[in-house]
Every structure is written in C-alpha cells, then in structure tokens.
Amino acid sequence: MLFMKETGKSTLLRAAYPDALWIDLLKTDEYRRFLQEPQILRSLLLGSPKTRFVVIDEIQKAPGLLDEVHWLFENRGVHFALSGASARKVRKGQANLLGGRAVRHELFGLVSAELGDQFDLDRLLNRGYLPRIYTAEAPGPLLESYVGDYLKEEIAAEGLVRNLPVFSEFLGIASLSDTEIVNFSTIARECGVSGPTIRNHFDILVDTLIGRWLPAYRRRPKRRVIGAPKFYFGDVGIVNRLARRGRLLPGTELYGKAFENWVCHELTAYRSYSGLDNQLSYWRLASGIEVDFIVDDVRVAIEAKATRRVEADHLKGMRNLIVDHPRVQKRLIASLETRRRVTEDGILILPAREFADALWAGELF
C-alpha cells in the first residue's frame, strides 16, 4: 500500500509496473462500478488468468475492494499495488486490512537525494516538497488549489468533520504551530470549539498524511524535561500558504522554522525509505533549552540552525544534552554555513547540502 497526496504515486507505479492491469478510481465510471459491485474485480481477473499484477489507484475511495484483493491474493496469487491519498478511511472504517499481508509505504515529497543538482534550498522552503508545485512557474495558485481540494475531497467528501468552515479556520491557526508544541486550549478558544474537537482535528491531519507528531525524549531525565510532542506539517509549502507567510528570506524567524521543517522532512523520509527502525524524537528541558532531533536512545543529536554563523548561543542545547546524556555518540548541526567545521567540544557543523548528502549516504546514523 502506498499513501500520500500529490507526491507522484501514480507516476512511480506506472514506471515500476508498466504491464500491470490499472484500475483508476479517480475515473467516475470506474469508481461507481467498483464501489457498487466490488466483486467485478474478481470476475475481471478470473476471466484473465494471465494477469498476475494489478494497480488500484485511490483505493481509499472504494475500501470494499480490499475483500476481493485479499481473496485474489490468497487463492489466485495475484499481486496488488494499492495507492491512495489517505489511509484514514481504509483504517478507520470496516475495511479488510489484509491480515498483515500488505506492506504499507508512505511516499514523501521531494527530498534532496532525488533533486540532485536541481536542489535549491530557498525554493524548497518557499514552495514545499510536492513535485508539481516545486517545479511550477506560479506555485501560489497550485498551493491554494491543493488546500481547497484537500478540504473538498478528503474532509468534506469523507464526512470527517461536522463543521467544515471551522475546520478550514483550524487549518490556518494550526499552521502557526508547525515545529512547535501544540496548545490545544488556545487553538480551541480561537476556533470557538472544545479542546477534544481540536485534538480530533489534529488526528485527522495525521491520518490524512498532512502532518505528524514528533514525540519528546523522556528516558532517564536528570532534570525536568518536557513530555508533550511537537507537530510538523508534511509539506512546508502548505504551511506557508495556510499561514500567509509570503516570501521567506534567510535570516528571518519564519525561514528558520521552515528550515527546521525541511530537516524533519529529510530525516523522516530517509528513515522510511531506508527501512530503518530508528526512533526519532526531540529533547527539551523545562527551562526551554532544546535539541531538535534525537535519533534512537540519544545515539545521534541533530539541530537545525538557519544561520550563516553558528555561535555559542546556538550550541546551548547540544552542550546541555551531553551533560544529561554523556553517551551521545554524535552531535551535529545543519546550518547555512558554507563550510563544515567541528567545535572544540566535538559538535559537527554542516552546511545544509552537506548535511543532506551525508544523511542519504548513510553517514549520520
């Protein structure tokens, strides 16, 4: 199963399986046909015994097909690639989850390793990671359309919320919480709804792959640490549009927040694509001193600092971390500096591109 919206799922699957039988549930006639009579899939494949591989695009629109997929896999050895923009309807409904036979993958937006020589950090932080928007001449209208389609197709059409205007307002306010600990009570007051409603709305963002939680690292604390998770949107371009940020320029606070989102995006995609079981978290003392990303049991610590010169003040988190967790093996900072260097106490400072190259080369963890 392959999930995420506008990341190139269909393009990837067509390239990987050019000879597969293709069922596209975005086509109205196919959608209605298989929604009303999912058994047609079985009849179709039993009538074509040589067909051994099938792609079903937008599977969440007709989850009843999963019973047929299960039967055909078990009894006829047919293999399937199932893709969709959201796993929520499949998982939350009464759909057949294939008894552990399906491997779930998430296709993320563009990462530095895919872009190669076309990697442009300023462009990524302003436009986001979705391929069509990253390469567009006029990304603004496309981002606006993406948000509109999300509200229409993923939220309204699936009946995920009772009050769509409130959810739309929530999206704008929630975008201000990107890379931050979420204050549910404050957002609830601004939206005029209850705290549990806001928590449910954030759950919807996670289930529809718009965002993710980053848990706090709380093992073996020597000082009081924060235990609440932080929230990251999956695409910084969506954040920029929802928050009406305008153009982000280096040296500004918003550029720094977008840079941290990008580092999270690269780390998350690398872990997923590499099949690693590393745990990703963050560490923060009650005093506010923080390290952005902790890998595993404080094996690697990573900070995102969108500055052209990393100063002593930027190193407080790393230096406090090693006091509480002296077993940390590697401390590094992704920055806007032009050359890599190492501080006197062993903190590695990397330019953003070198950080990304080292990550995808498997040199960081």
Side-chain angles (χ1 to χ4, degrees), residues 34-92:
F34 287 107
L35 181 68
Q36 294 171 359
E37 300 181 86
Q39 69 274 14
I40 290 176
L41 177 65
R42 180 168 17 109
S43 301
L44 183 65
L45 291 175
L46 291 179
S48 303
K50 293 184 179 180
T51 301
R52 310 313 300 165
F53 205 97
V54 180
V55 175
I56 304 180
D57 202 9
E58 303 299 336
I59 184 64
Q60 82 282 354
K61 296 177 73 67
L65 280 173
L66 290 171
D67 286 333
E68 299 296 331
V69 168
H70 191 164
W71 190 91
L72 287 162
F73 176 77
E74 288 289 328
N75 296 281
R76 291 294 183 268
V78 181
H79 288 76
F80 292 84
L82 312 172
S83 70
S86 169
R88 183 180 177 90
K89 187 173 181 180
V90 173
R91 194 167 64 245
K92 296 281 185 178

Side-chain angles (χ1 to χ4, degrees), residues 25 84 135 148 152 187 193 237 256 266 303 311 333 353 355 361:
L25 296 179
T135 58
K152 177 182 176 182
I187 297 176
V193 295
E266 293 279 330
E303 280 266 66
E311 305 286 355
I333 294 179
R353 183 56 196 259
F355 158 76

Side-chain angles (χ1 to χ4, degrees), residues 4-6 126-128 130 132-133 139-157 160-161 164-175 204-205 208 210 233-245:
M4 186 51 182
K5 183 179 177 67
E6 288 280 354
N126 277 281
R127 296 183 173 214
L130 302 178
R132 187 164 65 100
I133 296 172
L142 291 178
L143 279 168
E144 196 71 37
S145 176
Y146 184 98
V147 173
D149 288 347
Y150 172 71
L151 288 171
K152 177 182 176 182
E153 298 173 10
E154 301 298 326
I155 305 303
L160 299 184
V161 298
L164 190 62
V166 168
F167 187 84
S168 179
E169 182 182 4
F170 155 78
L171 276 178
I173 298 172
S175 68
I204 289 173
L205 295 184
T208 54
I210 291 294
F233 274 78
D235 183 80
V236 77
I238 295 173
V239 177
N240 295 341
R241 198 64 182 174
L242 288 171
R244 305 298 175 185
R245 285 175 168 178

